[in-house]
Amino acid sequence: MSWEIQSQLDQLRKDGLWRQLRVMDSPQSPVLEHEGKSYLNFSSNDYLGLAPSSELKAALLEGVALFGAGSGASRLVCGSMRPHADLEEALADFKSTEAALTFSSGFAVPLGTLPALLGPGDTVILDKLSHACLVDAARLSGATMRIFPHNHLDKLERLLQTAQGRVLIITESIFSMDGDAAPLREIVELKERYGAWLMVDEAHAIGVLGPQGRGLAAALGLQGRIELQMGTLSKAFGLSGGYLAASRSVVDLLINRARSFIYTTAPPPGVAHAALKALEMIRGEDGERRRRTLRRYVEQVAPQQAASQQSAIIPIILGNESVAMDASAALREAGIMVPAIRYPTVARGSARLRVTLSAAHLPTQVETLIQQLTVLNLAQRAEAACH
Ligand SMILES: *Cc1c(COP(=O)(O)O)cnc(C)c1O
């Protein structure tokens, strides 16, 4: 049996689905260096601009000076260090939950959590647009998987009516490739009516939305009613890692059962130390200032979206894969990095440009983006981004 690696690659090229890595020679900041040229970066998830900030760089260096470079072992062996404990306590406070547990990545959070809590005979009900890590985790758990069309409450309710065993609904609060919000209040009411649990992935909302950047659940006053609240330290936090905020007993069970937590080396202590600093910035006046700047930029680029939920993700949906690739290449030619997002990240025929804004952008850089979108006839589509 041949592995047919080359023919698979050829097919990807033919379908306009070929992907390749581009090496950036600069830090992640509003201007990127690539092959000797400078580009404006409208593709990063560093929404508040913390990744290249002097404050966070200093905190990371300080963490390394205090606690060393690596953590040496799994958290359960001897890798559980003071910065991990302090960060988890601060995250629980931020999310108003009894406890929080950090993981090496956001991806690792559901991968450990779902198989620890659910198994065959139970049911996981996911929004169709849920992130790959949520889908993979649900599969790995062995529970029955049910999918409801994006944000479709009636279909969700119908699935709840026939669900067996422990039932968990999973959604994102702000969706990663569309930038729109889930109807969280209605989903919370439904899950309570049917005695299900809810997991919300706030990867794109934490730091960006809600009072002090606490996320969409907090903005809607729902934090106390959502059993499993996950997020990442790799987007607005500007670092790397993921967290789950939940009850003390859920966290204790995960410490005993979550394989992506147990069987991996603890995140570097310096990163946890810096994440504590990032959290302090996000909660404070500095974070407020950055969120105000970000909101102003979203209003400039996509006024209708700004009126609805103010995420920093602006999809420009073009449909055809090659059309999206050409639009991305045209922007790159004009000195602007905006990725084309294609199948399998989004459905076939819904390829798009995904523009992301950051508080670190300068007003003139945002104006340049708007000008180029206008030149390429993409500006109106950006304005229509609202769902
Ligand atoms: C990015 C992302 C993750 C994964 O987080 P990492 O820290 O990058 O591993 C999980 N869920 C969603 C919705 C994301 O966008």
Side-chain angles (χ1 to χ4, degrees):
M1 178 76 195
S2 155
W3 291 61
E4 298 182 337
I5 305 290
Q6 194 53 51
S7 67
Q8 292 185 55
L9 290 171
D10 293 343
Q11 191 62 45
L12 284 172
R13 277 186 196 278
K14 229 172 51 210
D15 295 342
L17 297 176
W18 171 258
R19 302 168 183 226
Q20 65 194 127
L21 297 173
R22 269 192 210 96
V23 177
M24 303 297 148
D25 295 306
S26 56
Q28 276 301 330
S29 55
V31 178
L32 293 172
E33 301 290 330
H34 171 62
E35 292 180 347
K37 263 192 78 179
S38 297
Y39 295 89
L40 291 181
N41 179 11
F42 288 97
S43 56
S44 163
N45 299 318
D46 180 27
Y47 300 123
L48 299 181
L50 296 191
S53 73
S54 51
E55 295 96 323
L56 210 52
K57 285 194 286 185
L60 189 54
L61 290 174
E62 183 184 72
V64 171
L66 288 170
F67 299 101
S71 58
S74 157
R75 291 281 297 280
L76 281 165
V77 177
C78 68
S80 196
M81 300 172 73
R82 178 54 56 195
H84 297 127
D86 290 349
L87 174 61
E88 286 167 352
E89 193 182 322
L91 283 168
D93 178 59
F94 187 54
K95 298 299 298 175
S96 305
T97 54
E98 288 174 5
L101 192 66
T102 53
F103 292 72
S104 334
S105 71
F107 203 106
V109 175
L111 231 49
T113 301
L114 296 197
L117 298 178
L118 300 153
D122 298 327
T123 308
V124 180
I125 307 178
L126 299 110
D127 185 287
K128 176 104 167 75
L129 297 190
S130 295
H131 190 269
C133 68
L134 301 168
V135 176
D136 288 3
R139 282 204 191 109
L140 190 61
S141 75
T144 302
M145 270 174 79
R146 298 276 181 255
I147 310 284
F148 61 100
H150 181 47
N151 283 347
H152 199 308
L153 293 166
D154 289 345
K155 290 278 168 58
L156 168 59
E157 177 157 20
R158 243 169 286 159
L159 293 174
L160 282 166
Q161 285 163 354
T162 57
Q164 307 281 319
R166 301 182 188 90
V167 180
L168 177 67
I169 302 168
I170 299 184
T171 187
E172 297 177 24
S173 64
I174 293 295
F175 282 84
S176 59
M177 296 302 137
D178 291 71
D180 61 335
L184 275 191
R185 194 188 308 283
E186 290 80 359
I187 293 177
V188 165
E189 280 162 10
L190 270 180
K191 70 101 185 165
E192 286 175 352
R193 187 156 354 122
Y194 287 88
W197 277 23
L198 174 61
M199 179 172 196
V200 175
D201 184 344
E202 296 244 43
H204 298 276
I206 204 72
V208 176
L209 295 180
Q212 297 185 312
R214 290 167 192 255
L216 187 62
L220 299 172
L222 297 170
Q223 273 187 320
R225 294 165 70 186
I226 300 172
E227 289 80 6
L228 307 172
Q229 302 181 57
M230 69 163 279
T232 172
L233 305 174
S234 49
K235 287 165 184 157
F237 273 72
L239 289 158
S240 179
Y243 69 82
L244 183 85
S247 68
R248 182 75 250 168
S249 53
V250 163
V251 167
D252 285 344
L253 190 65
L254 294 182
I255 291 171
N256 284 273
R257 291 248 180 93
R259 293 164 67 87
S260 67
F261 173 83
I262 298 171
Y263 298 105
T264 193
T265 300
V271 173
H273 182 79
L276 203 54
K277 174 67 183 176
L279 181 53
E280 186 190 308
M281 290 170 76
I282 285 170
R283 295 183 80 157
E285 194 39 52
D286 188 320
E288 279 309 315
R289 247 192 328 272
R290 288 170 193 264
R291 279 187 288 280
R292 270 199 300 276
T293 304
L294 184 58
R295 211 165 299 142
R296 201 170 60 238
Y297 292 156
V298 175
E299 277 160 17
Q300 281 174 269
V301 179
Q304 293 168 25
Q305 165 156 328
S308 59
Q309 79 271 334
Q310 290 158 357
S311 88
I313 303 162
I314 299 161
I316 301 177
I317 298 181
L318 298 170
N320 182 283
E321 279 72 25
S322 304
V323 172
M325 289 303 283
D326 291 347
S328 177
L331 280 170
R332 198 161 54 249
E333 194 60 33
I336 296 179
M337 285 281 185
V338 172
I341 307 286
R342 296 161 286 166
Y343 177 85
T345 306
V346 296
R348 272 185 210 278
S350 75
R352 65 199 63 188
L353 297 177
R354 176 179 183 266
V355 175
T356 47
L357 299 168
S358 165
H361 284 125
L362 298 172
T364 52
Q365 295 169 332
V366 175
E367 277 156 28
T368 304
L369 169 73
I370 294 170
Q371 270 165 18
Q372 285 306 324
L373 290 177
T374 306
V375 168
L376 294 171
N377 259 330
L378 296 166
Q380 277 167 340
R381 290 174 188 265
E383 277 176 33
C386 150
H387 292 247

